[in-house]
Structure formats: C-alpha cells, structure tokens
Amino acid sequence: MSSNASFWDREARRYAARPISNVDNYEHSLARTRSYLGSEDRVLEVGAGTSSTALLLAPHVGHITASDVSAEMVAIGREKAWDQSVKNISIVQGVLGDDALGSGPFDAILAHNVLHLMPDLTQDLSFIMDLLKPGGMFISKTPCLRGKRILFWPMIKVMQLFGKAPYVTFMSDQGVIDRIRNAGFEVVEYDIYKGGLLSSYVVARKPA
C-alpha cells in the first residue's frame, strides 16, 4: 500500500490536471452507473482519485464515501467538494479493509479504473462483498492490459524499480469477469469500451 500511496501522492496534481481521454465513453459509463443508484442509497467508491466521479454522482444518491490510498488525491477531492458545496460526500484516505471507509452495509460500491492496481484483488473483492448489503451492486470499469503485456510489462517493471509506476495487473476483459464471478457476484451487465486502452465495464450484484 505504501509504495502505491507514494506514487499517487507525487502524481496527484498532474493527474488532476489531465483531461478525460475519451469523454463519450466516460459519460456513457457514468450514465449507466447512475441508472443503478437510488436517491437514498449509501455508496462507496474505492480508488476514487480526486473524487471527480463521486462528486458528479453525489446529487443522485443519499450519501457517497469517496476513498483513495493517496493523501494528496484526498486533499484535492476535498478542495473540489468545498468549492462545489457538495454536502453529502465523505472523502477519506484508505484502502479496502481500513476502518476509514466505514463498515457498511452499502447499497452500491464503485471501482473505476482501480481493480488492475490492487495487489491482492481476491482479498479486495471479498472486502467488497462483505461491505455490500444483500442484493447490493458492485460496479467497476477496468483497463484490460493483457494483450498489451508484451509491450508494457518490461517498461512498467523498470519504472516500478525507480518508483515511477504503481503495481499493475495485466488482465483480459474475460479475466475481469471471471475474477468478479469467482468472488461470488452475479454479473448483471457487461460492456467493453474501446478507444485508447480497452476497458471492461461490469455491473454485478451480491446475492440476496
């Protein structure tokens, strides 16, 4: 956790200033996610970065907790929440398993562009399952780098040695679905977003 936190602390301001790479894909997946959320829902987003997505979803839910491993990301998110006068959001530093994220149960848990960055995805999916209420929704969007492994893996390994890259798992789109199903979730909806890196969008439900 500490190495990833240090990396994202250094990258936070640059990350915050970076434009969305594919606005159409982002807005489409955001609308799909919003369609599964209710006005009274308690929602948790893990790996929320600067909380941009959480702030957009906040008006559509009862309360949203946006969490990130990076203190700098959290600080930027809190600045945004203050500037936008969003009251029904808590922005906290921590990872799955930390008390800071709350004990649940949550109606929905979101993980946008973060599953491939989790060193122990099996354990983290178990945490997500435990934090959801029966019938609760788990919604994720994950870059699928498996086909790019031969190009990116050596470069990323070298960068990691110098603290210039975080932990990364190379998964295929089917691999993402398999990991979620193997954790006990029922897959409700699945889509692939192309344009730049291929991303797998999965909506899953905790069995009632």
Side-chain angles (χ1 to χ4, degrees):
M1 170 180 152
S2 59
S3 60
N4 270 0
S6 298
F7 171 80
W8 291 113
D9 281 344
R10 292 192 300 272
E11 291 294 313
R13 297 289 165 178
R14 281 194 292 260
Y15 177 87
R18 192 181 307 157
I20 296 171
S21 59
N22 191 315
V23 175
D24 289 341
N25 281 356
Y26 177 76
E27 291 183 348
H28 184 269
S29 62
L30 186 69
R32 294 303 307 139
T33 297
R34 192 164 52 237
S35 72
Y36 286 98
L37 304 178
S39 60
E40 301 299 319
D41 282 358
R42 292 184 66 227
V43 179
L44 169 67
E45 182 179 5
V46 297
T50 62
S51 299
S52 295
T53 297
L55 288 165
L56 289 173
L57 292 173
H60 306 278
V61 301
H63 186 272
I64 187 164
T65 299
S67 66
D68 199 86
V69 68
S70 164
E72 283 298 314
M73 292 285 194
V74 167
I76 295 169
R78 289 173 177 169
E79 291 170 10
K80 290 182 177 181
W82 176 267
D83 291 342
Q84 298 173 31
S85 299
V86 179
K87 306 299 184 184
N88 65 328
I89 189 169
S90 299
I91 302 176
V92 301
Q93 183 185 9
V95 296
L96 286 160
D98 291 349
D99 291 341
L101 275 63
S103 59
F106 293 98
D107 297 283
I109 296 180
L110 317 178
H112 297 127
N113 301 312
V114 71
L115 296 188
H116 65 304
L117 302 176
M118 293 178 171
D120 193 341
L121 180 55
T122 298
Q123 182 183 63
D124 285 334
L125 289 173
S126 178
F127 282 138
I128 289 169
M129 179 72 80
D130 290 343
L131 287 168
L132 279 171
K133 73 174 187 180
M137 307 304 296
F138 172 48
I139 304 174
S140 64
K141 188 177 181 183
T142 308
C144 299
L145 304 174
R146 186 64 179 266
K148 304 287 186 179
R149 183 182 177 91
I150 193 170
L151 298 175
F152 291 158
W153 187 81
M155 177 180 66
I156 288 175
K157 284 298 180 183
V158 172
M159 293 174 69
Q160 286 171 339
L161 290 175
F162 296 95
K164 301 295 184 181
Y167 175 89
V168 179
T169 297
F170 291 79
M171 292 185 286
S172 66
D173 56 309
Q174 187 60 49
V176 174
I177 293 178
D178 289 344
R179 297 294 292 272
I180 292 172
R181 281 190 172 133
N182 290 342
F185 289 97
E186 302 168 355
V187 173
V188 174
E189 178 183 346
Y190 166 64
D191 202 356
I192 294 177
Y193 286 90
K194 299 179 180 178
L197 293 175
L198 180 146
S199 291
S200 172
Y201 179 79
V202 183
V203 179
R205 180 184 291 113
K206 176 177 178 175

